[in-house]
Amino acid sequence: MWLEQITLKDFRCFYGESAIELSQDPDRNVTLIHAENGVGKTTLLNALLWCFYGDTTAKFEKRDDLVNYDARAAGRTHAFVEVLFEHNGNRYRARRYTKGGPSDREFTVMRVDNGHHQTLQNPDAFINTVIPKGMAGHFLFDGEHAEVFLGEDNRGSIRRAVQDILGCSLIKTAIQDLAETSTYYRRQMPTTKASSSMEAISSRIDALTTQIQQATEARDGLRGDIERIDQQIADIDDKLRNSAAAKQLQARRDKATGELTRATKREAEAQAEVLKWLGDNGRFLVSTRITELAMDYLDQKEVKGRLPAPYNEELVSDLLEMHKCICDRELEPGTAAYAAVQGLLQKAANATLRNRIMKVRAQLSQLRSERAKAPGRLDAANARLSEARQDISRHEADLQEISEQLSGINFGEIAEREAKRNELRKLVNQKHEQVGNLTSRIQSAENDKAVAARELQKLAQEDAGARVFMKRYTLCETLKGRLERELQEEEKAARKVLRHSITKVLEKTSRKAFRLQMTDDYGISLVNEAGTQLPKSSGENQLLGLAFTAALVEFAKLRQNADDYRLLRGTVAPLVLDSPFGQLDEAYRQTTAEYVPQMAGQVLLMVSKSQGSGSVMEAIKGRIGEEYVLVRHNRDPRGERPLEVRQFNGKDVETAVFDAEFDGSTFARVTR
């Protein structure tokens, strides 16, 4: 999708009809709009969202009060926003009116073909094929909201953003519908001789389901608390790190913390190796006594000629066949000598018996050999475990000593900060323990629920009608579980792509050597090489929000040709940036501005005078294709107010006009 023109008529602060044309040049893909606060940047951003979907952002106040006040005073009752755009080689004109009367068309989309206009029958469905509604909001970046969006309480918002770009609306609706349907079928099982038991089990399943949901919500809340506390600890660490008195101690703590983490990992690996050793070598240990007894027995019998036997079956048979004894005497059938030799067959060992004895001896020898090696492997694993535990104790003692030294520093706020850090660390450990308890409760409830479902299924087999409902219930639960697993896999793959994309943006724009950490439950933080979480300033939060938006846009583009019946395809759309540099310092603004044109094929960038500083303009001047200024008109007289004139590309523009005919904003084109 490429935007060609945006037209507003009496929409909020825009009086009369105002229009801008957006750059179509791939090399100069930025359309730049200069505007101060309160002049119309946010209104323009919301105009696009409202035109296509009849919706606005959450912070857009009085969202139903859309008609310009002066226009209303002049008797005009409705406003509209019109967008001319290109999609898949065709041009379209989308227009949405306010509801001014019964004959007004609220929303229309027309295909423009050589000057002819053909109205589409289902405009809402068409727009959703161009940019699905769930994805649209992520192409509209509100810099002032970015810090809040990526704040510590908004894991749910971040996950919804990822799911939106994945096009998960279909699969999420299907999961919800299947859950409701399976519950309906379970509760509708007909009366049987076991009806009271079935009803009780069904009620227990409902109670367990509620318990799981409540515990999961509580656990998610605790995880959010933990992240907030970790961020506070990171902030204290950063302040201690930058304190001259505590800098060396904090550096030691950072190093000891990293070494403690690695030692803890080695301890877990060694413990796992010991457990594996027990599984692999258990049979060798328990076989010690029986192996020795069996081998002694075999040796004893072999010496005495009892095993495999004093005679060989093949030798005796050969003697009888040749009619000769081993002493070369004749053995004639019917003689006492022949009968005596023939009787030896009853005690003779055949090939099968000899083979079995050989296998037994070989297996016993292997058990004896492996048993001899096993203690060495266990000793090695235990040595590694002991070494890791010694390292853990040493690093913990070192950390305790550092903490005591920091607490004992008697100047500034260092001791107070250290005390606060210890208090927060204790609190976070308590919350981790609560998370563990809730996780155990969830697992226990899920196990109980599975048992109850099996009991219900067993009772349902006693009645033909109940079997039908149980079959439907089981099918719904199976399909729901499958979709949930598939959604988790899709999100896992998406997180991997987004981590890579966000890190790539940060490498190009950030001055700090940090990397992104995005947990499976969408906790986002910045960490150093040792894995220590770093505090995020307002500017870094905004930069991170911009990087996240860029990653979402890139991911949507990657998925534009995705062929998956469960998920909606991605899309290519313009990126609208409102105040993306507000919280950034001068150095960050320049590096970020250099990256902005790369974020999407077409960019609409809106900045105030302070944000559109010299470094920003210098960074993007070669990529600007169209440039406008939002001018504010006021009915009030100028009075003592100074004249506001700015120069753009050699053109003087009065940005605040007084003694005007109306109150409202207009566009002034200042393209070079």
Side-chain angles (χ1 to χ4, degrees):
M1 178 192 195
W2 283 78
L3 296 179
E4 295 184 17
Q5 187 180 67
I6 303 172
T7 304
L8 304 95
K9 173 70 179 296
D10 294 335
F11 185 80
R12 292 294 286 248
C13 64
F14 290 92
Y15 178 87
E17 188 168 311
S18 302
I20 58 169
E21 294 183 357
L22 285 82
S23 175
Q24 306 289 304
D25 187 344
D27 295 324
R28 292 181 172 269
N29 64 329
V30 176
T31 298
L32 181 63
I33 298 178
H34 301 272
E36 298 309 308
N37 292 335
V39 180
K41 298 193 304 294
T42 303
T43 298
L44 182 59
L45 182 148
N46 277 276
L48 287 169
L49 192 60
W50 182 79
C51 178
F52 287 139
Y53 307 101
D55 201 1
T56 59
T57 59
K59 63 177 292 185
F60 194 61
E61 297 178 355
K62 298 181 180 179
R63 60 185 63 190
D64 296 326
D65 189 9
L66 298 177
V67 180
N68 178 272
Y69 292 149
D70 271 24
R72 190 181 303 162
R76 298 197 291 269
T77 59
H78 65 263
F80 73 76
V81 178
E82 182 180 275
V83 181
L84 182 65
F85 64 94
E86 181 272 334
H87 178 64
N88 287 342
N90 295 313
R91 297 175 73 226
Y92 299 90
R93 189 183 302 275
R95 176 182 285 193
R96 186 177 296 273
Y97 292 86
T98 57
K99 295 180 180 179
S103 61
D104 288 334
R105 292 287 299 277
E106 182 187 355
F107 183 50
T108 61
V109 176
M110 293 176 286
R111 184 166 59 237
V112 182
D113 187 8
N114 295 324
H116 299 288
H117 291 68
Q118 180 183 354
T119 302
L120 304 187
Q121 294 300 312
N122 195 336
D124 293 297
F126 171 72
I127 289 297
N128 269 284
T129 64
V130 178
I131 307 179
K133 184 177 180 179
M135 300 182 190
H138 305 295
F139 290 90
L140 307 174
F141 178 86
D142 182 352
E144 295 176 359
H145 182 62
E147 183 180 352
V148 177
F149 174 73
L150 285 174
E152 296 149 354
D153 294 325
N154 273 6
R155 297 183 188 211
S157 297
I158 297 170
R159 181 179 188 182
R160 284 191 294 273
V162 175
Q163 291 180 340
D164 288 342
I165 292 297
L166 269 174
C168 292
S169 57
L170 294 176
I171 192 170
K172 288 170 65 179
T173 300
I175 290 171
Q176 183 178 353
D177 289 346
L178 284 168
E180 294 175 356
T181 304
S182 67
T183 300
Y184 170 80
Y185 284 138
R186 175 168 51 77
R187 292 174 177 174
Q188 294 301 313
M189 290 185 184
T191 302
T192 68
K193 62 183 180 181
S195 60
S196 59
S197 298
M198 294 175 68
E199 184 177 355
I201 294 174
S202 184
S203 297
R204 186 170 50 166
I205 291 175
D206 286 337
L208 288 168
T209 301
T210 301
Q211 181 180 333
I212 292 170
Q213 292 173 345
Q214 292 175 345
T216 301
E217 291 174 1
R219 184 180 62 180
D220 292 344
L222 285 170
R223 285 173 173 170
D225 292 342
I226 290 170
E227 184 176 347
R228 284 193 296 275
I229 297 170
D230 283 340
Q231 188 64 58
Q232 293 177 48
I233 293 173
D235 186 51
I236 292 174
D237 285 346
D238 189 60
K239 291 175 180 176
L240 291 172
R241 193 177 294 112
N242 294 326
S243 168
K247 189 173 183 178
Q248 186 176 3
L249 287 172
Q250 184 59 41
R252 278 182 56 198
R253 173 149 67 188
D254 289 343
K255 181 180 179 181
T257 299
E259 291 176 347
L260 178 61
T261 300
R262 290 187 287 272
T264 303
K265 182 179 179 181
R266 293 203 315 273
E267 179 192 32
E269 291 172 348
Q271 285 179 325
E273 190 174 350
V274 170
L275 292 175
K276 185 176 184 300
W277 183 92
L278 291 173
D280 293 343
N281 299 280
R283 65 183 186 277
F284 302 135
L285 296 178
V286 300
S287 65
T288 302
R289 180 61 176 165
I290 192 172
T291 300
E292 296 304 325
L293 289 174
M295 289 295 287
D296 290 346
Y297 179 80
L298 288 176
D299 292 341
Q300 181 183 8
K301 292 299 182 181
E302 190 173 38
V303 170
K304 294 181 177 180
R306 297 290 187 267
L307 284 176
Y311 313 109
N312 189 304
E313 184 181 83
E314 289 80 1
L315 174 62
V316 175
S317 298
D318 288 344
L319 294 176
L320 295 175
E321 184 177 348
M322 292 184 301
H323 294 180
K324 279 195 175 183
C325 183
I326 57 174
C327 60
D328 205 32
R329 293 176 56 186
E330 296 293 331
L331 293 175
E332 294 296 335
T335 64
Y338 186 91
V341 172
Q342 188 177 40
L344 296 176
L345 287 174
Q346 297 178 2
K347 300 179 181 180
N350 55 30
T352 300
L353 178 59
R354 290 195 304 275
N355 186 46
R356 287 176 179 172
I357 292 174
M358 289 174 63
K359 286 183 178 180
V360 168
R361 184 179 289 279
Q363 289 178 355
L364 292 174
S365 297
Q366 183 186 14
L367 287 174
R368 178 183 285 174
S369 174
E370 291 297 328
R371 188 178 69 249
K373 298 176 185 177
R377 290 195 290 265
L378 179 60
D379 289 343
N382 278 325
R384 287 190 289 273
L385 180 60
S386 177
E387 181 183 356
R389 286 176 173 169
Q390 288 176 7
D391 286 345
I392 289 173
S393 298
R394 178 165 51 84
H395 295 317
E396 286 179 342
D398 193 20
L399 286 170
Q400 181 63 32
E401 179 185 348
I402 293 169
S403 179
E404 291 173 357
Q405 291 180 31
L406 285 168
S407 300
I409 295 176
N410 192 24
F411 53 86
E413 298 178 350
I414 295 176
E416 182 181 345
R417 287 172 180 166
E418 183 61 22
K420 181 64 175 177
R421 185 187 188 278
N422 291 335
E423 179 185 335
L424 290 172
R425 178 55 60 192
K426 181 178 180 181
L427 180 60
V428 83
N429 288 337
Q430 291 173 351
K431 290 187 178 293
H432 273 300
E433 184 177 350
Q434 292 171 358
V435 167
N437 292 336
L438 284 170
T439 300
S440 298
R441 285 172 54 189
I442 291 169
Q443 185 61 55
S444 177
E446 287 175 343
N447 292 338
D448 291 345
K449 184 178 176 181
V451 171
R454 289 193 294 270
E455 292 176 1
L456 189 64
Q457 187 172 16
K458 182 178 180 181
L459 289 173
Q461 299 304 315
E462 301 177 8
D463 182 271
R467 283 197 299 272
V468 172
F469 281 98
M470 175 54 71
K471 189 174 183 179
R472 295 172 181 173
Y473 163 75
T474 303
L475 179 60
C476 288
E477 286 292 304
T478 301
L479 291 174
K480 180 171 74 71
R482 177 179 174 182
L483 289 177
E484 288 172 339
R485 289 190 296 274
E486 290 178 351
L487 180 56
Q488 289 173 359
E489 289 300 316
E490 292 290 347
E491 287 188 61
K492 181 179 179 181
R495 286 194 298 271
K496 183 178 180 180
V497 174
L498 291 172
R499 287 188 189 104
H500 174 75
S501 297
I502 295 172
T503 300
K504 184 173 64 176
V505 176
L506 292 177
E507 288 174 351
K508 294 181 178 180
T509 57
S510 176
R511 69 170 68 95
K512 291 183 181 179
F514 50 46
R515 59 183 174 83
L516 175 85
Q517 181 173 283
M518 182 191 295
T519 62
D520 291 345
D521 59 343
Y522 297 92
I524 288 183
S525 59
L526 300 174
V527 298
N528 59 20
E529 294 181 356
T532 303
Q533 185 174 350
L534 303 174
K536 297 193 296 288
S537 65
S538 297
E540 286 165 343
N541 252 339
Q542 187 172 47
L543 178 62
L544 190 55
L546 192 64
F548 186 77
T549 298
L552 291 177
V553 171
E554 181 180 2
F555 190 50
K557 182 179 180 180
L558 289 173
R559 296 194 63 260
Q560 63 178 318
N561 296 317
D563 188 13
D564 192 325
Y565 69 93
R566 305 160 304 168
L567 305 173
L568 299 177
R569 290 184 178 183
T571 190
V572 176
L575 180 60
V576 181
L577 301 174
D578 179 9
S579 305
F581 312 123
Q583 301 291 339
L584 305 181
D585 61 28
E586 195 64 27
Y588 268 145
R589 288 182 181 182
Q590 181 177 354
T591 56
T592 304
E594 291 172 354
Y595 182 73
V596 161
Q598 305 173 43
M599 292 176 64
Q602 187 181 37
V603 178
L604 176 58
L605 175 61
M606 296 182 283
V607 296
S608 64
K609 182 179 180 179
S610 61
Q611 294 175 31
S613 60
S615 61
V616 170
M617 297 304 298
E618 184 66 25
I620 64 172
K621 67 180 183 180
R623 302 299 299 270
I624 300 173
E626 290 285 353
E627 193 168 358
Y628 292 85
V629 180
L630 268 174
V631 178
R632 175 65 186 177
H633 297 261
N634 304 276
R635 286 182 177 275
D636 294 338
R638 181 179 305 278
E640 300 297 324
R641 300 180 183 92
L643 184 67
E644 294 184 22
V645 178
R646 294 182 63 190
Q647 190 175 80
F648 302 93
N649 302 323
K651 302 175 184 179
D652 289 335
V653 178
E654 189 176 353
T655 57
V657 179
F658 292 88
D659 293 309
E661 297 179 359
F662 60 89
D663 282 330
S665 300
T666 60
F667 294 104
R669 187 172 183 266
V670 294
T671 304
R672 187 183 300 274

